[in-house]
Amino acid sequence: MKIDRKTFWRNSWWLKLFLVAVAVVAVYKAFDNLGMLFGWIGVFFKLLTPFVAGFVFAYLLHKPVYLLERRFSRSRREFVANRSLAFSVFVVYAVFLLFLALILIVLIPALVQSVIRFVEKAPDYLNELKNFALSLYEQGGIFQMINIPALLEGWSADNLIQNIDLSDLQPYAQGVMDVTSTVGNICFGVIISVYMLLERKSLLSVLHNFMALFISREKIQLMRDYSGRVNAIVYHYFFGQFLDSLLVSILSSIALAIIGVPSPMAMGFLFGMFNLIPYFGPIISGVLVVGLTFLSSGWVVALTTAITLLIIQQIDANIINPRILGNQLGMSPFWVICALTLGGGIFGLWGILLGVPFAAVIRQIVRDFYLYRHRKHKGDPTPVTEASVGGSAKNR
């Protein structure tokens, strides 16, 4: 049965009165119990964490699921064609989990080995650092103003271990518990994302019917057009950035293995995955990789590593990245840096990862609003949509 939104609200005066009364009571109670309200909000968002993780997984994997579903639906075998969605979800998640397992199998032993090697050589590193500081003090100059020998007195691996306060281990234990909780939420999110993909049509239908109670069809269609365009921007950005980071990780791992850097796959993966953060990511990861290489293999290998990573980064910036991403976002480096700075300062890590595509979406909305006002000024108040702007939307 079709619901007429205007008729529904015109004949439901009692519902309007009830909603107003509920809103007044809710506002009064909210200001009367702000502390409790914020506590409830925190608990509520904590409970939603697995669903947010599930939505992220479903969003990132829905494109390959959709493409595979189209292929399976054209299969000559009726059993496969009738279950195209289930087969596509199974194949995509099998490949995704296999890829994740391979990364963990390769990286975890390498990281553990690196940590063990660093702990074993920590006394040698400490002695080298002390000798270097003393040599600077003996050379004179500005370092004579600092009593370096007195500062270094008592610096040894044994003294550092003895000065460790076991009471400080509680924050680390809490951190381990937080990591365990995060892993559990991610695993639960993967399960939820499977059901989201399997029932995406029914979920979208429920959302559409709910919105139809409050929003006109024209506005719903406009929101659908915009959501499609926003999805194209965000999805293309993340897919391109991930593919670019994966290629850089492979190239870096091969190059570092040739140079002779310890744990080249872990180092290459660290350097490549930081490319998900534009501009700042390669700098941070490059400093980390070169610093770890210096501690484990000396300055000669560290210098060679720095030159090699700089060459790989230039190849990525001038050849690989433009071919994968092109100028899809259409944003200058200045606005990208602004988006990263503001996003990271306000929302932390999530702001760094989502700041650039979010800024690109805002830019798209502002430009479309400007075109709409310009057309309205000329007597054409038609909303700016993908169909109305035609090919110009791809060129902005």
Side-chain angles (χ1 to χ4, degrees):
M1 181 178 178
K2 190 175 180 180
I3 300 177
D4 188 350
R5 183 177 62 89
K6 295 181 179 179
T7 304
F8 173 79
W9 282 108
R10 190 184 303 118
N11 298 330
S12 302
W13 59 268
W14 56 270
L15 180 59
K16 297 178 183 179
L17 186 61
F18 174 75
L19 292 176
V20 170
V22 170
V24 171
V25 174
V27 171
Y28 171 76
K29 286 296 183 181
F31 281 100
D32 195 35
N33 302 278
L34 282 179
M36 186 180 299
L37 176 64
F38 286 135
W40 287 346
I41 292 175
V43 172
F44 177 72
F45 279 105
K46 189 174 182 180
L47 293 175
L48 287 180
T49 301
F51 295 92
V52 174
F55 174 78
V56 171
F57 284 118
Y59 175 76
L60 294 176
L61 297 177
H62 85 278
K63 191 71 171 182
V65 168
Y66 173 72
L67 295 176
L68 276 179
E69 183 184 5
R70 293 179 58 185
R71 288 185 173 272
F72 283 129
S73 63
R74 294 194 295 265
S75 176
R76 296 180 179 179
R77 298 182 179 180
E78 185 177 353
F79 179 80
V80 176
N82 293 336
R83 297 167 177 81
S84 57
L85 178 58
F87 275 103
S88 61
V89 171
F90 174 78
V91 172
V92 169
Y93 273 83
V95 173
F96 170 70
L97 295 177
L98 179 62
F99 175 75
L100 185 62
L102 289 175
I103 291 178
L104 295 178
I105 290 173
V106 171
L107 285 183
I108 290 181
L111 291 175
V112 171
Q113 186 179 2
S114 299
V115 172
I116 293 175
R117 186 185 296 111
F118 178 78
V119 172
E120 291 176 349
K121 293 187 177 182
D124 298 333
Y125 296 151
L126 188 59
N127 291 329
E128 291 179 4
L129 180 61
K130 290 175 60 177
N131 294 331
F132 178 72
L134 291 173
S135 65
L136 292 177
Y137 178 77
E138 293 173 356
Q139 291 176 6
I142 191 174
F143 294 101
Q144 288 286 344
M145 301 173 61
I146 305 173
N147 192 0
I148 294 180
L151 293 176
L152 296 179
E153 186 177 356
W155 272 40
S156 66
D158 294 334
N159 290 338
L160 292 176
I161 294 175
Q162 292 176 0
N163 292 330
I164 294 177
D165 188 2
L166 294 179
S167 63
D168 294 336
L169 296 178
Q170 182 177 357
Y172 297 101
Q174 183 63 39
V176 172
M177 294 178 62
D178 293 340
V179 170
T180 304
S181 176
T182 302
V183 172
N185 288 332
I186 291 175
C187 294
F188 194 28
V190 172
I191 298 174
I192 293 175
S193 66
V194 173
Y195 287 99
M196 284 184 174
L197 288 174
L198 290 174
E199 302 179 13
R200 69 177 188 272
K201 294 182 179 179
S202 60
L203 292 175
L204 290 174
S205 177
V206 171
L207 179 62
H208 181 273
N209 292 334
F210 178 77
M211 293 175 61
L213 294 174
F214 309 97
I215 305 175
S216 63
R217 291 185 177 182
E218 293 77 11
K219 292 182 179 179
I220 291 178
Q221 185 60 41
L222 181 61
M223 294 174 62
R224 293 181 62 180
D225 292 338
Y226 254 104
S227 62
R229 298 167 68 184
V230 169
N231 174 69
I233 294 174
V234 176
Y235 196 87
H236 188 278
Y237 172 79
F238 278 112
F239 180 78
Q241 285 290 100
F242 177 76
L243 183 59
D244 175 76
S245 300
L246 185 61
L247 292 176
V248 172
S249 298
I250 295 173
L251 291 176
S252 303
S253 300
I254 295 173
L256 295 178
I258 295 174
I259 295 173
V261 175
S263 305
M265 296 192 69
M267 295 292 189
F269 184 82
L270 174 65
F271 179 73
M273 286 298 108
F274 264 78
N275 274 308
L276 290 172
I277 305 174
Y279 297 104
F280 299 116
I283 298 175
I284 297 173
S285 60
V287 171
L288 288 175
V289 172
V290 173
L292 293 174
T293 304
F294 173 75
L295 292 175
S296 60
S297 304
W299 68 271
V300 176
V301 180
L303 180 60
T304 307
T305 300
I307 296 174
T308 303
L309 295 181
L310 181 61
I311 294 173
I312 292 175
Q313 184 56 37
Q314 291 301 312
I315 293 174
D316 174 55
N318 295 285
I319 299 176
I320 300 177
N321 194 278
R323 289 184 176 274
I324 294 177
L325 286 173
N327 194 28
Q328 175 73 12
L329 298 180
M331 295 175 60
S332 66
F334 173 78
W335 293 112
V336 173
I337 293 175
C338 287
L340 290 173
T341 304
L342 293 176
I346 298 174
F347 300 105
L349 178 61
W350 288 110
I352 293 175
L353 294 176
L354 301 176
V356 176
F358 185 74
V361 170
I362 294 178
R363 175 181 177 273
Q364 182 76 54
I365 294 174
V366 171
R367 291 179 68 91
D368 287 347
F369 180 74
Y370 169 78
L371 290 176
Y372 168 72
R373 293 296 299 268
H374 182 69
R375 294 175 59 177
K376 185 177 181 181
H377 181 71
K378 290 186 174 182
D380 183 10
T382 306
V384 179
T385 61
E386 189 71 25
S388 63
V389 298
S392 62
K394 299 179 181 180
N395 299 325
R396 285 198 298 272

